Amino acid sequence: MRRARRIAAAVLAMLGALALCPAAQAEQGVPIDIPSILPPEGWSFVGPFGRWDQAQLRRGFQVYSETCAGCHSLQHVAYRNLTALGIGFGPEDIKALAASSKLEDGPDENGKMFKRPALPADRIVPPYPNKEAARAANKGMLPPDLSLIVKARKGGRAFLFDFLTGYAKPPAGFELRRGMYFNTAVHGEQTGMAPPLAPDLVVFEDGTEASVEQMATDVTAFLTWTADPHLELRKKLGLKVVIFLALLTIMFIALKREVWAHLHHPRRAV
Ligand code: HEC
C-alpha cells in the first residue's frame, strides 16, 4: 500500500518535472530559451503556460511593416495568417492591408505580366523583386528573410533583441570597415545594417511609448511568432497530455492495487 503510494508520488513528480523542464519545450532545431534581460516583465509566451500577447504581436507587426519591411521580406507569412488565430486582425483589416501592396502576377492572355493589389491569400509582398535587386540596393549585402530568423540564428530571440539594441559608438581604435556599423551583438562587432530603430519612429495605436527597447521587444515577439505560430496551441495540447497521463497513471495504480489485493489474501480470492 505504502509502496504504491510512493510509486504514484514518484510518477507524478516525474510528469511534473517533465512539464516544467525547459528542455522538454525545446524542439529539434529550436534554440533553448536564453534568458534575455529584457523585457523586464518577461516574455508572455515563455514557460509551460505561455501565451501570445496579441497586442504586442500587432505592435511588432507595425514595427516590421513600417521599418524592417523596407529591406527585409517575410516570405512565409500570408496576409490571412494575421487573423484572430494569429495576431488578431479582423477579415476586413486583412483585406485592406493586403490591397495596400501591389505585386506582379501573370502572364495574362497576351503573355504580359501585370501588377495587381495583393489578396489575403498572398504572401506579404517583398520589398525587392529578387536577391540581386536586394543586394544592389544594400551595398552588396543581402537583408535575410525574417520569417524564420529567430530559429536561424544562434541565441534565437535573445540575439535578435540584442542585435536591434546593440548599436553603439565604436571604442577608440576600433577598425570599422567602410559602410559598416558597430554592433556588440554580432561576430566581429560590425554589421552592414544601419540602425533601423530610433525613439518614436512609429506611433503605437494603444499609446505604448515607442522607445527603441519597446520596438525591439515587440518586433522580436512578432518574429518569434512568425517562426513558430503554433507555439501556444502546442503548449495547451502538451499540458492536456500531461494531465491525461497523470490521471491514467493514478487509474493504473488503483487497478494494480485491486488486482494484487487478492493475491495478498488468497482466501478472499474468487
Ligand atoms: C535599410 C535596410 C534595412 C532595414 C530598414 C533593416 N535591415 Fe536588417 N539588414 C539589412 C542588411 C543589408 C543586412 C545584412 C547585413 C550584413 O550582412 O552585414 C541586415 C541583416 C539583418 C539581420 C541578420 C543579422 C546577422 O548578422 O545575422 C537581422 C536579424 C535583421 N537585419 C533584422 C532587422 C529588423 C528586425 C529590422 C527592423 C526593425 C531591420 N533588420 C531593418 C538591411 C536592413
Side-chain angles (χ1 to χ4, degrees), residues 63-64 67-68 70-72 128 138 141-144 146 149 153 159-160 163-164 180 186 190-194 196-197 219 223:
V63 175
Y64 166 76
T67 63
C68 326
C71 302
H72 292 275
Y128 305 110
N138 287 283
M141 283 171 285
L142 183 70
L146 293 184
I149 199 81
R153 291 291 179 275
F159 163 75
L160 185 58
F163 178 53
L164 294 174
M180 301 293 275
V186 288
Q190 41 191 320
T191 174
M193 177 167 108
L197 301 174
V219 80
L223 292 174

Side-chain angles (χ1 to χ4, degrees), residues 22 38 42 56 68 70 88 98 100 122 189-190 196 203 230 249 252-253 260:
L38 281 156
Q56 175 172 62
C68 326
S100 66
D122 288 314
E189 300 195 310
Q190 41 191 320
V203 178
H230 302 303
T249 310
F252 272 126
I253 288 168
W260 282 73

Side-chain angles (χ1 to χ4, degrees), residues 138-244:
N138 287 283
K139 297 175 277 184
M141 283 171 285
L142 183 70
D145 183 83
L146 293 184
S147 323
L148 296 172
I149 199 81
V150 167
K151 288 191 176 179
R153 291 291 179 275
K154 201 167 164 244
R157 63 174 165 275
F159 163 75
L160 185 58
F161 177 84
D162 292 344
F163 178 53
L164 294 174
T165 54
Y167 291 94
K169 259 205 174 130
F174 186 86
E175 265 187 44
L176 205 57
R177 295 202 305 278
R178 249 187 91 215
M180 301 293 275
Y181 303 85
F182 184 74
N183 187 311
T184 51
V186 288
H187 186 67
E189 300 195 310
Q190 41 191 320
T191 174
M193 177 167 108
L197 301 174
D200 297 320
L201 194 64
V202 304
V203 178
F204 290 129
E205 266 173 38
D206 61 7
T208 305
E209 195 195 325
S211 64
V212 168
E213 278 78 16
Q214 184 67 49
M215 286 184 282
T217 304
D218 293 344
V219 80
T220 300
F222 172 67
L223 292 174
T224 305
W225 174 78
T226 62
D228 194 5
H230 302 303
L231 169 144
E232 189 174 309
L233 212 68
R234 210 176 47 242
K235 284 190 179 179
K236 276 188 194 153
L237 186 68
L239 205 67
K240 279 186 199 150
V241 169
V242 168
I243 292 170
F244 170 76

